[in-house]
Amino acid sequence: MTIREVSSFAAGQWILPCRGARNITSAISGDVIATAGNDNLSVQTMLDYARTVGGPALRALTFHDRAKMLKALALHLRDHRQAIYDLSFDTGATQSDHLIDVDGGIGTMLVFASKGRKEMPDAQVYLDGEIEHLSHNGTFIGHHICTPLQGVAIHINAFNFPVWGMLEKLAPTFLAGVPAIVKPATNSCYVTELCVKIMLASEIIPTGALQLVSGGLGDMLDHLTCQDAVAFTGSADTALKLRSNSSILGNSVRFTSEADSLNASILGPDALPGTPEFDLFVKEVHREMTTKAGQKCTAIRRIIAPEPAIDAVIEAISTRLSKTIIGDPRLDITQMGALVSSDQKRDVLEKASLIGTEAERVFGDPENFNIVGADAERGAFVPPMLYHCAKPDTATHVHGTEAFGPVSTIMGYSDTAHAIKLVNKGQGSLVASVITHDPKIACEIAIGAAAFHGRLYFNNRDSMKESTGHGSPLPHLTHGGPGRAGGGEELGGVRGVKHYMQRTSIQASPDILTAIGKKWVPGSKEFQDPSHPFTRTFSELNIGETLNTPPRKITLNDIAHFAEFTGDTFYAHMDDEAARRNPFFPGRVAHGYLLLSFAAGMFVEPNEGPVLANTGLNGLRFMKPVSAGDSIKVRLTVAKKTRRTDKYGEVCWHVTLTNQDDEIVAEYELLTMNSY
Ligand code: NAP
């Protein structure tokens, strides 16, 4: 058998393993299948290359360019995923596990690609939040912007998800505009290396944006500056060691940590045997114990159930576990593969023994279990092991020792407050699930336990068909947790991207803010073009271009007509006396929607032209009532332009309605789709 030489990709070169290389074994056979590592890797050259070549290339692109790049990359990986599946079996993972790792990683990239296009601008500066008004006359205002860090992101990943672990970090990093150096865990780095090779061969990523360290990282962390970021996933012990590095502390290098976690699942007091929730609970616990042979950061380690239901829960979970086929992950019938290595097996058995000092093992004997198609002596196989802890209030290992394999402990609770106390004993977890059909219980647990968790997952008969599973971090939602879970907050859509950007508050005049943010700010320069803006194409329109309409008087007849026509006969528009009793109105007033409709009639250019559709309104506010006899006029200004396809783009118009005294009565953003 040829031993695979797992290379690093440094400063544009593939570097083979050399001095300091480590052997990597197959999880199934225990044979050495690869080597990785090279002590001669020049970490400073890699950092310089990322900072001077990859960073500028990425920063020259807009968020939309980078989002399109992510989409192309994900689709390219999808076309080549079979080769990654084939290689991944040696990590002990089954085909279903590959779907989580490989397809899950590709899916995460696609979500970031989509969010980048929908929620971020086609620009290099991201505007964060709303304008802050700092002065009486509006000549000095504040806004926050986010721009990419000008250094490099170091991604240090755990062994269990060699593909997802890399892609879920690369997606927000690239979208932010920051180059990355990926350091996978050595045990499974051959899978990551293949994935990197596929990505680089596509030539979709700019030169210097992606480098790979297979094997040890050397002293790379000692060379980091305030423009760099480290995103770590792994054990709490390694996290502590790395985040204590003096360069990281001294230079305030951003350090995000996703560490280990004693996640729990609570069976609600209402979810007793015979309910759909009970069956759902058993199914989820079984899935979390056996997927990836329990080597999942989000796996359920603690099963918290009402005291009277404990025996039934043990029996139901044990019955399911007894039917789980363990063996060679390459076989179709295998439901649970092996741990990643014999070292990992030793570690899991040691940790399980510690848990065994406080809990009785009620299912699974590591000395006696069936394995199909593989050699129990050579492969890193263990059975699922279920423990029962009768005294969870005084136990420590049960709540504090992570056996990173198919090991869970069940414990009873007396009431909801007790369940909350037990779940919080994890000292900060990635996720807890609560299986209940009772919103009151859900609410009590959310208030009592959310502060100790990065994610709470509620499930019941109403949501179970479409729910995504206790163990799945989703790109739309933050992944991470407080305390021993690392204190990190990855993913979460644009929130995840912001980890790789600096937020800067800008205090300036409206003109300067418009120039920096590429979005027109009220108070900055307006200019008129002789032609109506609705006759001008997306490309012809300029930010700040404004149409001011002549005034239109509002009559009582208009209000009555609108009320009758739409059916909106709310008393404030119909009954002067009643309206006067309302603290907000001087008497009978015009409908806000009447004003909006009039505004559209006042600024529209009715003929067929480049405006294709009105696609929505943002931030509508009615600020002052309008009575019969008042008049309104409209200011329509091009605030922002966003390319959407190669045929049309979105124009965001700032619209202000003012009365005869120049007081603002309504303000909003109008969105239209315009042809180029
Ligand atoms: P680990 O032993 O802590 O290693 C994690 C990563 O750190 C690996 O890439 C490892 O590289 C690297 N590393 C270790 N020492 C280092 C050093 N001195 N300098 C630079 N890098 C160093 O964890 P693991 O065994 O791979 O993963 C299992 C753990 O990860 C479990 O505790 C699990 O809970 C946790 N995990 C957490 C999450 C999450 O999102 N919260 C996700 C997955 C896993 P080498 O392999 O080369 O040593």
Side-chain angles (χ1 to χ4, degrees):
M1 194 184 68
T2 37
I3 294 183
R4 202 180 177 97
E5 293 190 300
V6 189
S7 300
S8 296
F9 186 69
Q13 305 291 325
W14 284 102
I15 313 280
L16 285 167
C18 193
R19 196 166 61 84
R22 273 163 47 189
N23 285 340
I24 302 167
T25 52
S26 160
I28 310 166
S29 66
D31 293 335
V32 174
I33 52 166
T35 60
N38 187 333
D39 289 348
N40 299 329
L41 210 57
S42 169
V43 294
Q44 189 59 55
T45 307
M46 291 183 80
L47 292 169
D48 291 344
Y49 191 68
R51 290 170 184 151
T52 58
V53 180
L58 281 168
R59 292 198 297 278
L61 305 174
T62 66
F63 291 105
H64 284 203
D65 295 333
R66 295 179 212 133
K68 284 184 212 154
M69 176 185 92
L70 285 182
K71 184 172 179 187
L73 204 52
L75 296 179
H76 180 78
L77 279 171
R78 186 180 277 175
D79 288 344
H80 293 78
R81 65 190 153 170
Q82 187 59 48
I84 308 178
Y85 295 159
D86 293 345
L87 192 63
S88 295
F89 287 114
D90 265 316
T91 65
T94 62
Q95 180 59 33
S96 327
D97 296 334
H98 302 341
L99 294 183
I100 302 174
D101 187 31
V102 181
D103 295 63
I106 292 170
T108 299
M109 268 199 153
L110 287 172
V111 169
F112 272 95
S114 160
K115 286 197 162 281
R117 297 257 286 137
K118 286 196 188 127
E119 298 172 27
M120 304 188 84
D122 189 14
Q124 283 147 326
V125 169
Y126 176 82
L127 295 174
D128 191 19
E130 298 300 315
I131 285 173
E132 296 293 339
H133 297 277
L134 308 176
S135 59
H136 188 65
N137 294 321
T139 60
F140 189 66
I141 47 185
H143 209 164
H144 292 94
I145 64 165
C146 296
T147 53
L149 292 178
Q150 297 188 11
V152 52
I154 313 293
H155 295 167
I156 303 174
N157 296 332
F159 71 80
N160 55 341
F161 287 115
V163 177
W164 179 85
M166 168 171 63
L167 299 186
E168 63 105 19
K169 288 190 176 115
L170 278 184
T173 305
F174 283 167
L175 191 51
V178 176
I181 296 176
V182 177
K183 186 261 175 283
T186 304
N187 274 335
S188 55
C189 68
Y190 50 97
V191 179
T192 313
E193 184 218 31
L194 174 62
C195 191
V196 168
K197 281 191 165 152
I198 293 170
M199 288 196 280
L200 292 173
S202 75
E203 298 187 354
I204 292 169
I205 316 170
T207 303
L210 175 61
Q211 297 179 79
L212 173 74
V213 175
S214 301
L217 200 55
D219 63 352
M220 190 176 284
L221 301 187
D222 298 342
H223 302 269
L224 301 187
T225 75
C226 74
Q227 289 299 304
D228 302 319
V230 178
F232 169 81
T233 302
S235 62
D237 289 346
T238 312
L240 179 62
K241 191 166 17 155
L242 300 190
R243 68 160 27 123
S244 313
N245 174 287
S246 59
S247 286
I248 289 182
L249 292 176
N251 297 330
S252 303
V253 177
R254 291 172 191 211
F255 189 94
T256 308
S257 163
E258 300 296 340
D260 52 39
S261 173
L262 275 290
N263 314 293
S265 187
I266 301 175
L267 179 68
D270 57 313
L272 296 176
T275 61
E277 282 74 26
F278 183 84
D279 297 340
L280 171 65
F281 180 77
V282 171
K283 195 170 146 198
E284 291 242 12
V285 168
H286 172 262
R287 183 171 58 201
E288 289 303 317
M289 284 184 73
T290 54
T291 304
K292 283 291 288 187
Q295 298 165 113
K296 251 173 44 170
C297 54
T298 50
I300 295 169
R301 307 285 173 210
R302 296 174 300 143
I303 304 162
I304 303 176
E307 202 58 78
I310 286 290
D311 289 344
V313 175
I314 292 176
E315 194 188 324
I317 296 175
S318 302
T319 304
R320 266 191 172 254
L321 290 174
S322 65
K323 294 181 187 149
T324 306
I325 299 170
I326 306 161
D328 185 334
R330 290 171 291 219
L331 301 176
D332 287 344
I333 54 161
T334 298
Q335 292 164 320
M336 187 175 107
L339 299 176
V340 74
S341 66
S342 51
D343 282 351
Q344 188 62 21
K345 176 174 170 178
R346 199 172 311 116
D347 188 64
V348 166
L349 293 178
E350 270 171 29
K351 303 264 174 65
S353 304
L354 273 181
I355 291 168
T357 59
E358 296 172 344
E360 178 197 358
R361 199 175 64 222
V362 291
F363 183 88
D365 180 355
E367 301 300 327
N368 183 17
F369 65 105
N370 287 332
I371 298 173
V372 293
D375 184 342
E377 295 302 314
R378 306 193 58 196
F381 295 94
V382 292
M385 288 171 263
L386 183 65
Y387 286 82
H388 171 229
C389 177
K391 293 185 178 160
D393 293 308
T394 50
T396 53
H397 291 306
V398 158
H399 301 291
T401 301
E402 184 202 40
F404 201 59
V407 183
S408 298
T409 306
I410 181 163
M411 59 199 82
Y413 69 82
S414 51
D415 56 18
T416 315
H418 189 205
I420 293 170
K421 204 168 151 201
L422 291 178
V423 77
N424 291 350
K425 273 178 168 279
Q427 293 298 310
S429 305
L430 295 172
V431 52
S433 51
V434 185
I435 308 299
T436 178
H437 196 232
D438 185 338
K440 275 203 202 112
I441 290 166
C443 186
E444 212 180 315
I445 295 177
I447 291 170
F452 284 78
H453 294 84
R455 183 160 63 91
L456 288 179
Y457 169 95
F458 295 93
N459 205 359
N460 59 30
R461 67 192 77 176
D462 301 330
S463 49
M464 62 188 187
K465 283 213 178 80
E466 292 195 302
S467 59
T468 46
H470 161 106
S472 305
L474 297 171
H476 321 69
L477 303 173
T478 54
H479 169 58
R484 69 170 293 150
E489 218 189 45
E490 287 181 347
L491 301 178
V494 174
R495 284 181 199 85
V497 183
K498 288 185 192 168
H499 293 307
Y500 300 97
M501 296 198 281
Q502 175 63 40
R503 182 172 30 245
T504 307
S505 65
I506 305 286
Q507 294 166 262
S509 70
D511 278 335
I512 288 187
L513 277 179
T514 296
I516 293 173
K518 303 280 182 288
K519 181 172 182 189
W520 185 82
V521 171
S524 55
K525 277 194 191 61
E526 304 163 19
F527 56 93
Q528 270 88 36
D529 191 273
S531 58
H532 189 287
F534 278 23
T535 64
R536 291 152 61 68
T537 62
F538 180 87
S539 336
E540 288 165 348
L541 288 171
N542 292 302
I543 288 173
E545 190 170 335
T546 297
L547 173 79
N548 285 300
T549 71
R552 172 171 183 160
K553 197 162 184 179
I554 310 293
T555 67
L556 204 52
N557 208 20
D558 291 333
I559 299 173
H561 178 68
F562 191 81
E564 190 195 332
F565 182 52
T566 61
D568 181 353
T569 51
F570 185 61
Y571 71 90
H573 313 305
M574 308 306 290
D575 180 340
D576 197 57
E577 286 301 309
R580 277 179 206 284
R581 288 194 290 274
N582 181 312
F584 292 101
F585 301 123
R588 196 173 168 186
V589 292
H591 305 67
Y593 300 121
L594 166 64
L595 304 179
L596 289 193
S597 306
F598 276 169
M602 291 158 79
F603 63 62
V604 77
E605 208 301 317
N607 295 315
E608 187 177 358
V611 178
L612 304 175
N614 171 349
T615 54
L617 294 185
N618 282 338
L620 169 63
R621 285 183 310 148
F622 295 118
M623 289 136 100
K624 205 167 169 50
V626 173
S627 309
D630 289 347
S631 58
I632 56 162
K633 52 189 184 309
V634 185
R635 181 185 65 189
L636 178 78
T637 305
V638 178
K640 196 171 108 179
K641 294 178 12 175
T642 310
R643 285 180 295 157
R644 288 293 175 207
T645 70
D646 38 347
K647 292 210 177 75
Y648 47 82
E650 183 184 83
V651 180
C652 170
W653 309 80
H654 188 99
V655 187
T656 314
L657 275 61
T658 43
N659 63 16
Q660 60 285 354
D661 300 322
D662 285 333
E663 294 166 319
I664 299 179
V665 298
E667 197 168 33
Y668 53 97
E669 287 179 350
L670 166 73
L671 304 175
T672 61
M673 210 51 91
N674 289 34
S675 61
Y676 287 152

